[in-house]
Amino acid sequence: MPGITREEVAHLARLARLELKAEELDHFAGQLDDIIGAVARVSEVADQDVPPTSHPLPLTNVMRADEVRPSLTPEQALSGAPAQEQQRFKVPQILGED
Amino acid sequence: MTTFTELLSYEDALASFDPVMGLEVHVELGTRTKMFCGCSTELGAEPNSQTCPVCLGLPGALPVVNEIGIESAIKIGLALNCEIAEWCRFARKNYFYPDMPKNFQTSQYDEPIAFNGFLDVQLEDGEIFRVEIERAHMEEDTGKSLHVGGATGRIHGASHSLLDYNRAGIPLIEIVTKPIEGAGERAPEVAKAYVAELREVIKALGVSEARMDKGQMRCDVNLSLRPSPEAPLGTRSETKNVNSLRSVERAARYEIQRHAAVLTSGGSIVQETRHFHEEDGSTTAGRIKDNAEDYRYFPEPDLVPVAPARTWVEELRGGLPEMPRTRRNRLREEWGVTEHDMQSILNAGAVDSIVATTEAGADPAAARKWWMGELARNANEQGVVVDELPITPAQVARVAALVAAGELNDKLARQVLEGVLAGEGTPDEVVEKRGLKVVSDEGALGAAVDEAIAGNAAIADKIRGGKVAAVGALVGAVMKTTRGQADAARVKELILERLGVSEG
Amino acid sequence: MTDIIRLTAAQTAEKIASGELTAVEVTEAHLARIDATDEKVHAFLHVDREGALAQARAVDAKRAAGEKLGPLAGVPLALKDIFTTVGIPTTVGSKILEGWIPPYDATLTRKLKEADVVILGKTNMDEFAMGSSTENSAYGPTGNPWDLTRIPGGSGGGSAAALAAFQAPLAIGTDTGGSIRQPAAVTGTVGVKPTYGGVSRYGMVAFSSSLDQGGPCARTVLDAALLHEVIAGHDPMDSTSIDAPVPPVVEAARNGSVAGMRVGVVKQFAGEGYQAGVVQRFNESVELLRELGAEIVELDCPSFDLAMAAYYLIAPSECSSNLARFDAMRYGLRVGDDGTKSAEDVTALTREAGFGDEVKRRIILGTYALSSGYYDAYYGSAQKVRTLITKDFEKSFEQVDVIVSPTTPTTAFPIGERTDDPLAMYLADLCTIPTNLAGNSAMSLPCGLAPEDGLPVGLQIIAPAMKDDRLYKVGAAVEAAFIARWGHPLLEEAPSL
Ligand SMILES: [Mg+2]
Ligand SMILES: [Zn+2]
């Protein structure tokens, strides 16, 4: 199962929105191949009939009442914005659509 | 849009293909606060004034589930005849988009809170069509973008966008149907009827106002064609954010015709999203759904599982209101109206107003008559629904009572309604101010009757001679001199009395 | 001056409460120590001189007004730069958050302030807590006060180094795979990873949500307990916070004892890769426990051999999602916005420029492990391993009260030695990771110096979930016995800076 190619790394980087440089692709592909080779050991238990644990806590049903709490002020909300206009976050043109 | 799209006629399309639909409806819940934080959901606030570290996705912030959000989801699931999960989790749907602060949507994936249900919808001719529900799950809304620098606020050609996150995190319930098969040529009608019925259910539950015009309810129409009901499903298109009942029907119809044109000319359908255009009812291509799309769902580690206690679920089931279709059938029987009339009442959005008017003491027939007549016409002219008119059911009931007591005739009653709508006050105040009382002073009426007989001797003779039907002309003359403020029945009685003729 | 900085937190608080010292004096002494040493150590990313003195003055005013002071009132603390702090930059050791000033306080920050603990500043760390050496900080490495050419552990190297350099008697760390315990081990200090859910994560910048846990760092077991009590407890802002009383950690720390306790030694925490001096000190610790009246039980936890593999799937998976929010739209760095590029491009350029290598590696690894087609084999299997580890712990804790192990297989390694060998770096957390996967509690405390290099060795104590008090009971007993044997606390052997 293990083995990761440079092309796969490039695809993953696109999914993760990382504009990797060509030399990084080579570098990471080699390292990730090693790491994946090491972590692939988990598949030793793949066939075992063991329930998955996604979380260490046995808690369920943690909820809050539907009561309004104070929000940040718009100034606080926008305080870290790289750019703003009309009390909104200003972002470059959006290409995709959904 | 400028691209010319070939369409096949609807009849030809249906002659060659069997349509299959899938409808995905997003409903914004009417909770006071957002799904995962305590920010207000009130509409119309200043930009970014209803945000906090959680719904802005600030580093370190964590979500906490709104219990009314869960409760509403369960109610919707129960109303749609779904099973309610014993145990389910939220999941993260990972994709980047500037209107989504965390760049993942907290949603549900393979463990929806409600699943396997159905909704029976009634078509125009009374036929019941069962729409199977795949699932109803909880998720959160995104922020709103304002595209600047392009034409008419469109994303294309914009130089930049401005983001307001007030809407980000508002609870959404996504309701997904199973493939709707067997509707044939009625597919568009089924789509519309389903969304309409779903909207009624949501409103009856009180979990959302479900106003499509305000974006509180949005529908995606997935459609594919296949040569016959036995053939495997064809490639589908996904028409996004169709925002009125009429548009749902038009979008389905358009896509049937477009798909059919593509397929009959030997082309193949691209799996893509489509945008619906209100102006001409067309759709245009959006994003291609290829395999690069990988949402990398995994259980949301910042939230713990939701395991609704069966006692709670049963309690909610017990508290469900009468479902709209049942209620409509009951009212139809109580009111003694036809299926068709009931449909008209429904279409006019007048059911609740009529019920409230009868509850305020009016006779159902009278209540129906005013709401579906004068008031529906008025609402239509103003482009609003009847329950948005500035008149209360109690006021309509008062007008009906005045008519029943003989103090107003229909013509005067219409003037009273007009006065109330014009803001002149209550029905009694309008009657008072406009002097709209039926003339019941026998002396004045008698003089008017005598005058009419004298001025129309020939007609009077005919009546004396047995042509009682001619009395209408004399009644008309009396009504004219009294400017309509007379009780027509009493006028007729007086005329016949004077002429010594008895009716029948 | 020297005396003030060498006091324990408990002693400092006592002297402030009695009026022997003022909080301002104490704060000034520590600020002066930072001034004198931090150029060499580089424990701090930001020193909040004014804020610290203001807090100290408020404590002195309270005392003057006759108000009752909390058990750590006026004691200085070094806060890991992963907790949000209103008005003070929070960078998480990353360029992508350079200069970000949060508009809200983490719950832990708020609790420290409410307890009148004086926050001196924010400490250096591996970027987004990913690392075991603090070399992955975008702001340069931190030196180990025992040998400045060596790593102070990570990710919380800044906090541990601040303690070992006597810049602060208390510090806060976070532990996702060992980031509190391993730095404690290699700097000769005490660090505790509380039970998952014991300390609120609200306002703690997430690395791996199901593993991250904030906790106390100190130079003594009692000081750690006092701090633990201040920061622990249920928080309605954190859905994964346990709604139960905080275990009686201070009481346990004041009543150290192992008499009659059953102490487990796990077979799997030994073998290849363990430095001889580390093994030697560990074996002596086990012997000491026996002498102090504990019964030693050997345990077999076969799933622990898969812990590292499971960890390096789960943590990167969660981090690939947690770090998606750093997209240059709402806060933090923005690169390449020249008016011609799209939001998509600006996000990708910013993330490329703003994240360091280790963060990128883990994001890609996590993206891979979660992608359709690999999910079941990787993320899914890792979750099964997690179940098996939890079961091994459960089974073990039926036989013993606590488990002990070396905290980390080696002493502090030289800066630069493992930076381009991620797998070698990951080995540092071999013994600490199982606890994070299962969610139970663990402590590291000094158990001597390795003979071959004269560097500190850590002893790890592991307890069941919500039995954190056992760590302190055992830890206090071991600490007292070692100090009696050595004649002084281990840190007194550290070179003066
Ligand atoms: Mg959805
Ligand atoms: Zn919010």
Side-chain angles (χ1 to χ4, degrees):
Chain A
M1 173 170 49
I4 186 164
T5 63
R6 191 179 187 276
E7 287 62 44
E8 277 180 280
V9 173
H11 168 70
L12 294 166
R14 266 195 303 278
L15 267 181
R17 291 271 156 89
L18 289 168
E19 186 79 36
L20 293 187
K21 298 182 195 76
E23 63 268 26
E24 279 182 305
L25 281 176
D26 295 325
H27 191 59
F28 286 148
Q31 288 180 331
L32 286 165
D33 201 51
D34 290 347
I35 297 170
I36 288 165
V39 299
R41 287 194 61 200
V42 294
S43 60
E44 286 172 23
V45 303
D47 297 335
Q48 286 187 41
D49 187 21
V50 176
T53 298
S54 64
H55 210 271
L57 280 181
L59 295 177
T60 56
N61 295 332
V62 175
M63 300 179 202
R64 43 169 258 278
D66 185 23
E67 286 161 11
V68 176
R69 290 173 50 93
S71 293
L72 294 172
T73 63
E75 293 70 37
Q76 287 174 315
L78 288 153
S79 62
Q84 54 176 294
E85 198 175 292
Q86 297 175 32
Q87 207 171 294
R88 294 172 171 90
F89 294 84
K90 183 181 175 185
V91 307
Q93 52 174 317
I94 301 169
L95 287 188
E97 51 202 339
D98 205 72
Chain B
M1 301 243 100
T2 47
T3 28
F4 175 71
T5 309
E6 194 102 35
L7 297 184
L8 202 63
S9 84
Y10 192 68
E11 292 66 33
D12 290 349
L14 266 300
S16 320
F17 298 102
D18 176 45
V20 178
M21 288 186 301
L23 299 169
E24 292 176 25
V25 174
H26 285 88
V27 180
E28 244 181 37
L29 294 179
T31 49
R32 276 193 282 270
T33 65
K34 295 185 179 181
M35 191 63 197
F36 302 113
C37 66
C39 289
S40 170
T41 56
E42 198 77 39
L43 291 174
E46 266 187 70
N48 294 302
S49 63
Q50 290 169 350
T51 66
C52 72
V54 179
C55 57
L56 278 178
L58 293 190
L62 296 172
V64 186
V65 169
N66 181 338
E67 94 185 312
I68 301 299
I70 304 273
E71 185 183 282
S72 304
I74 296 174
K75 283 183 182 170
I76 290 172
L78 291 171
L80 298 178
N81 305 291
C82 289
E83 295 171 48
I84 304 302
E86 304 253 353
W87 188 92
C88 66
R89 285 179 293 190
F90 284 94
R92 291 185 181 180
K93 180 181 184 180
N94 293 287
Y95 66 97
F96 283 85
Y97 208 79
D99 65 8
M100 198 166 55
K102 297 165 291 181
N103 288 314
F104 60 77
Q105 184 189 35
T106 307
S107 180
Q108 292 194 288
Y109 180 46
D110 49 357
E111 299 164 358
I113 188 150
F115 50 95
N116 272 345
F118 62 86
L119 181 63
D120 285 338
V121 303
Q122 197 155 11
L123 304 181
E124 298 270 355
D125 66 356
E127 190 196 324
I128 304 286
F129 192 98
R130 175 162 292 189
V131 176
E132 309 265 357
I133 307 289
E134 167 89 38
R135 56 189 281 153
H137 72 248
M138 303 175 280
E139 56 183 36
E140 57 179 337
D141 213 340
T142 58
K144 268 189 183 157
S145 336
L146 203 66
H147 305 299
V148 183
T152 64
R154 298 202 83 98
I155 191 167
H156 294 289
S159 64
H160 62 276
S161 298
L162 299 177
L163 285 152
D164 168 12
Y165 293 103
N166 282 351
R167 196 182 66 181
I170 289 186
L172 291 179
I173 304 296
E174 180 176 335
I175 301 152
V176 183
T177 66
K178 291 183 181 164
I180 301 171
E181 303 178 68
E185 60 176 4
R186 306 188 73 170
E189 188 194 345
V190 167
K192 179 185 171 185
Y194 165 73
V195 178
E197 188 62 26
L198 185 57
R199 188 170 172 266
E200 291 298 316
V201 169
I202 301 287
K203 286 199 304 181
L205 292 172
V207 296
S208 169
E209 287 178 38
R211 292 279 301 266
M212 293 187 84
D213 56 325
K214 288 189 177 164
Q216 292 167 334
M217 185 163 167
R218 326 194 265 267
C219 180
D220 297 346
V221 179
N222 300 340
L223 188 128
S224 65
L225 296 184
R226 56 187 174 183
S228 74
E230 292 74 39
L233 292 177
T235 303
R236 69 170 188 275
S237 60
E238 303 178 10
T239 307
K240 296 285 176 192
N241 290 325
V242 187
N243 289 338
S244 76
L245 295 178
R246 179 166 169 258
S247 300
V248 168
E249 185 167 20
R250 290 167 88 201
R253 198 178 169 92
Y254 184 92
E255 281 300 283
I256 289 174
Q257 292 181 259
R258 186 183 68 85
H259 280 225
V262 172
L263 294 171
T264 47
S265 67
S268 55
I269 297 297
V270 182
Q271 191 178 339
E272 63 186 357
T273 62
R274 308 274 305 174
H275 301 290
F276 180 73
H277 304 286
E278 205 73 55
E279 321 84 70
D280 60 359
S282 70
T283 70
T284 52
R287 186 168 42 90
I288 293 187
K289 304 262 263 188
D290 59 11
N291 295 330
E293 192 165 31
D294 185 345
Y295 292 125
R296 289 159 285 134
Y297 283 100
F298 72 104
E300 163 59 278
D302 287 330
L303 292 171
V304 303
V306 177
R310 295 300 99 174
T311 48
W312 187 34
V313 172
E314 289 317 309
E315 199 179 296
L316 292 175
R317 195 195 302 277
L320 289 181
E322 185 181 19
M323 284 300 109
R325 200 172 61 84
T326 318
R327 175 167 177 260
R328 279 198 313 272
N329 285 337
R330 174 175 60 76
L331 292 173
R332 192 174 59 74
E333 278 179 24
E334 282 175 17
W335 296 347
V337 298
T338 64
E339 203 70 77
H340 180 82
D341 286 349
M342 197 65 206
Q343 193 60 46
S344 310
I345 293 171
L346 182 68
N347 292 347
V351 177
D352 291 337
S353 300
I354 294 172
V355 170
T357 306
T358 60
E359 281 167 3
D363 174 66
R368 217 171 63 236
K369 173 173 145 188
W370 295 120
W371 282 107
M372 291 304 291
E374 190 63 15
L375 294 170
R377 195 159 39 246
N378 201 293
N380 211 19
E381 277 165 23
Q382 301 189 39
V384 296
V385 277
V386 286
D387 60 5
E388 289 174 325
L389 290 171
I391 187 166
T392 65
Q395 290 172 328
V396 177
R398 175 62 185 154
V399 172
L402 290 170
V403 172
E407 291 184 42
L408 290 177
N409 58 23
D410 284 4
K411 191 175 168 207
L412 293 175
R414 273 194 290 277
Q415 291 180 43
V416 174
L417 293 174
E418 195 184 286
V420 174
L421 292 174
E424 293 169 24
T426 64
D428 290 295
E429 285 164 0
V430 175
V431 166
E432 180 70 33
K433 283 186 207 157
R434 292 194 179 189
L436 300 175
K437 274 275 186 193
V438 166
V439 179
S440 53
D441 175 345
E442 294 279 323
L445 209 51
V449 167
D450 290 342
E451 196 184 313
I453 292 172
N456 297 279
I459 298 170
D461 283 343
K462 273 188 195 168
I463 298 168
R464 285 194 194 94
K467 281 203 80 176
V468 177
V471 74
L474 292 185
V475 172
V478 174
M479 295 306 281
K480 200 171 172 186
T481 49
T482 57
R483 282 175 294 118
Q485 286 172 280
D487 178 346
R490 180 69 190 133
V491 171
K492 188 177 170 188
E493 265 173 41
L494 283 173
I495 294 169
L496 295 177
E497 214 177 279
R498 291 276 205 285
L499 297 177
V501 182
S502 69
E503 217 172 337
Chain C
M1 277 276 269
T2 342
D3 288 333
I4 292 180
I5 62 168
R6 288 185 177 265
L7 295 173
T8 68
Q11 290 165 339
T12 307
E14 227 171 293
K15 288 182 193 295
I16 291 171
S18 69
E20 194 180 321
L21 287 172
T22 66
V24 168
E25 269 179 282
V26 170
T27 301
E28 277 172 345
H30 286 91
L31 288 171
R33 175 70 176 176
I34 293 169
D35 287 342
T37 56
D38 211 41
E39 212 148 297
K40 285 180 269 183
V41 179
H42 193 227
F44 283 86
L45 292 178
H46 181 91
V47 177
D48 182 25
R49 194 171 299 275
E50 292 315 311
L53 286 169
Q55 274 178 292
R57 279 193 291 271
V59 173
D60 290 335
K62 265 192 184 180
R63 189 184 172 278
E67 282 180 52
K68 195 178 172 328
L69 297 180
L72 289 177
V75 180
L77 173 140
L79 182 59
K80 190 175 182 181
D81 201 23
I82 195 171
F83 288 92
T84 60
T85 41
V86 170
I88 303 175
T90 300
T91 69
V92 204
S94 181
K95 280 280 181 239
I96 211 155
L97 270 187
E98 188 163 16
W100 182 58
I101 298 181
Y104 79 109
D105 270 338
T107 297
L108 180 138
T109 306
R110 179 176 55 75
K111 286 188 172 221
L112 290 173
K113 288 180 179 175
E114 284 169 3
D116 289 320
V117 173
V118 173
I119 299 171
L120 294 172
K122 309 292 286 286
T123 57
N124 200 11
M125 56 185 287
D126 283 303
E127 185 177 8
F128 283 99
M130 298 177 199
S132 307
S133 68
T134 312
E135 292 163 292
N136 295 335
S137 167
Y139 303 98
T142 294
N144 187 325
W146 288 81
D147 176 348
L148 292 170
T149 68
R150 290 178 183 259
I151 60 106
S155 63
S159 286
L163 296 172
F166 294 93
Q167 294 172 334
L170 295 175
I172 293 289
T174 64
D175 193 313
T176 304
S179 287
I180 287 176
R181 290 163 287 164
Q182 183 256 2
V186 301
T187 57
T189 58
V190 178
V192 175
K193 184 202 94 73
T195 299
Y196 182 90
V199 173
S200 171
R201 293 186 298 117
Y202 189 75
M204 178 177 133
V205 181
F207 158 20
S208 178
S209 307
S210 75
L211 301 166
D212 297 342
Q213 187 58 210
C217 307
R219 288 191 293 258
T220 73
V221 171
L222 176 61
D223 285 359
L226 289 166
L227 183 53
H228 190 136
E229 207 160 70
V230 165
I231 61 175
H234 180 241
D235 179 12
M237 298 296 281
D238 175 359
S239 304
T240 63
S241 164
I242 294 172
D243 191 1
V246 177
V249 292
V250 173
E251 191 194 315
R254 292 194 197 278
N255 297 285
S257 161
V258 296
M261 280 180 119
R262 296 162 305 164
V263 174
V265 175
V266 177
K267 211 164 78 176
Q268 281 74 15
F269 287 141
E272 208 189 325
Y274 285 80
Q275 188 182 322
V278 169
V279 173
Q280 187 187 331
R281 293 297 175 228
F282 174 67
N283 290 338
E284 286 167 12
S285 303
V286 173
E287 217 31 65
L288 176 71
L289 284 161
R290 209 193 301 272
E291 285 166 28
L292 293 173
E295 178 197 343
I296 306 298
V297 179
E298 190 177 316
L299 299 168
D300 184 17
C301 297
S303 68
F304 286 12
D305 285 339
L306 292 172
M308 177 83 85
Y311 176 85
Y312 279 100
L313 288 165
I314 292 168
S317 294
E318 292 183 2
C319 100
S320 72
S321 174
N322 280 331
L323 269 58
R325 69 188 61 198
F326 300 97
D327 63 358
M329 299 294 117
R330 289 161 299 282
Y331 44 79
L333 187 68
R334 179 181 284 183
V335 168
D337 184 13
D338 58 6
T340 69
K341 293 194 179 63
S342 66
E344 288 80 351
D345 287 344
V346 167
T347 296
L349 288 166
T350 301
R351 289 164 66 80
E352 165 64 11
F355 289 142
D357 279 1
E358 183 61 18
V359 173
K360 288 182 204 168
R361 265 193 295 270
R362 295 204 198 183
I363 288 175
I364 294 171
L365 181 58
T367 305
Y368 176 75
L370 288 177
S371 55
S372 59
Y374 295 108
Y375 182 95
D376 288 337
Y378 290 124
Y379 189 76
S381 295
Q383 292 196 332
K384 286 187 173 185
V385 171
R386 201 165 184 174
T387 307
L388 294 172
I389 287 170
T390 306
K391 283 192 173 150
D392 274 347
F393 268 125
E394 278 169 8
K395 206 174 61 194
S396 297
F397 286 123
E398 282 166 16
Q399 302 169 61
V400 300
D401 300 299
V402 295
I403 294 169
V404 294
S405 79
T407 305
T408 179
T410 69
T411 55
F413 46 87
I415 289 175
E417 189 185 82
R418 301 185 189 178
T419 37
D420 212 34
D421 187 354
L423 281 173
M425 187 71 88
Y426 297 170
L427 288 175
D429 296 331
L430 204 55
C431 308
T432 44
I433 280 173
T435 311
N436 298 85
L437 290 169
N440 49 342
S441 56
M443 170 190 278
S444 178
L445 77 165
C447 64
L449 302 177
E452 60 268 48
D453 53 22
L455 292 168
V457 175
L459 172 69
Q460 178 175 232
I461 306 168
I462 304 173
M466 290 310 274
K467 301 287 186 225
D468 307 36
D469 49 318
R470 285 189 199 164
L471 305 174
Y472 291 96
K473 196 166 183 64
V474 175
V478 170
E479 178 184 57
F482 273 130
I483 290 177
R485 183 177 290 182
W486 302 327
H488 53 75
L490 191 68
L491 267 177
E492 284 193 16
E493 294 183 39
S496 60
L497 289 163

